[in-house]
């Protein structure tokens, strides 16, 4: 397989120079590097500029609701835990309306890879503040500046039980490809928060700004407190890479019903719906 095998032929409609191109490229290259094929992968998309990737990526896909991609992905994984399940979502999506699902999936260590296109803005709806917009940022919805503190997604994921917590940069597609491979290969919940410049609505954290500040973490912490401390480093220097990684059983590994085969392989013929309804309702 080559990267173009994962393309549909539809041309992206993102703005010229958008960080989404780098994430799309890295994801296709990660599929190639993992030597995987289209039918082994399901991508669940949120609603936002990032979600337009559904039209350009040639794998199985589900276009879900804004904020609700993570539970859909957990459902796909439970139905067939042999699939690789990737979630393409935005910062508004995942850290705003859907943040409860992020916490639940991290707590359950569901084996899905959540790639957040973090442009610190609601892109598709043309530039309102998101939970990662910095305090004081002037946007369409906050003309006097954001009042709230920004959410720290990496620390939030670590304290919620996520077993692979990382940050990538859309401007370094080789490093991001490797990070995505590591996230998909990791058994358990993996978060990849990607710094994704939006050149149209978020003018501060552009490619030049980020390139100057970014440095690569040497290795993942095993100690949660040390990892959380690193996640608060966001000023002169901005770390990217894996902040925290831990080996522990994923959600579906702990279901004895799935030891032998997947849910979709189980025969339905002996199931008596009436008796089940009597038992549970
Ligand atoms: C349930 C629901 N709530 C709100 C919206 C409106 N909406 C569409 S996209 C969006 C924000 C997108 O921002 P983000 O998730 O950061 O994605 P981006 O466009 O920046 O990639 C919102 C609020 C919606 N479509 N559905
Ligand atoms: Mg966004």
């Amino acid at each position: 397989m080559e990267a173009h095998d994962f393309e549909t032929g539809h041309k992206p409609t993102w703005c010229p120079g958008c960080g989404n191109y780098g994430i799309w490229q890295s994801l296709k290259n990660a599929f190639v590097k993992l030597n995987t094929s289209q039918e082994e992968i399901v991508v669940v998309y949120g609603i936002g500029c990032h979600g337009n990737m559904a039209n350009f990526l040639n794998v199985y896909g589900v276009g879900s609701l804004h904020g609700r991609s993570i539970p859909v992905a957990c459902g796909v994984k439970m139905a067939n835990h042999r699939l690789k399940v990737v979630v393409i979502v935005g910062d508004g999506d995942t850290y705003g309306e859907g943040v409860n699902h992020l916490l639940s999936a991290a707590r359950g260590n569901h084996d899905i890879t959540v790639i957040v296109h973090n442009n610190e803005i609601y892109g598709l709806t043309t530039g309102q503040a998101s939970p990662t917009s910095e305090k004081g940022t002037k946007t369409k919805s906050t003309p006097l500046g954001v009042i709230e503190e920004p959410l720290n997604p990496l620390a939030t994921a670590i304290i919620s039980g996520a077993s692979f917590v990382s940050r990538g940069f859309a401007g370094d597609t080789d490093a991001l490809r490797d990070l995505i491979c590591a996230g998909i290969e990791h058994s358990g919940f993996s978060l990849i928060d990607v710094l994704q410049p939006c050149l149209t609505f978020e003018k501060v954290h552009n490619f030049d700004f980020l390139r100057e500040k970014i440095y690569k973490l040497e290795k993942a912490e095993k100690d949660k407190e040390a990892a959380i401390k690193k996640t608060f480093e966001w000023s002169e220097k901005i770390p990217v890479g894996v902040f925290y990684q831990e080996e522990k059983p994923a959600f579906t590994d702990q279901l004895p019903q799935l030891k032998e085969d997947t849910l979709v392989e189980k025969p339905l013929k002996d199931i008596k719906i009436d008796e089940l309804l009597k038992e549970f309702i």
Side-chain angles (χ1 to χ4, degrees), residues 30-45:
F31 292 151
V32 173
K33 197 170 174 194
L34 290 169
N35 199 19
T36 186
S37 59
Q38 284 116 336
E39 57 272 19
E40 288 175 86
I41 308 161
V42 177
V43 180
V44 183
Y45 304 89

Side-chain angles (χ1 to χ4, degrees), residues 110-123:
H110 287 268
D111 186 14
I112 60 176
T113 302
V114 178
I115 302 176
V116 182
H117 297 221
N118 186 355
N119 52 15
E120 301 177 26
I121 203 88
Y122 285 4

Side-chain angles (χ1 to χ4, degrees), residues 20 47-50 66 89-93 116-124 128 130-132 196 198:
N20 283 335
I47 303 295
C49 294
H50 58 275
H66 184 68
V89 274
D91 47 312
D93 222 5
V116 182
H117 297 221
N118 186 355
N119 52 15
E120 301 177 26
I121 203 88
Y122 285 4
L124 190 69
Q128 297 79 17
S130 94
T132 50
Q196 177 246 313
C198 166

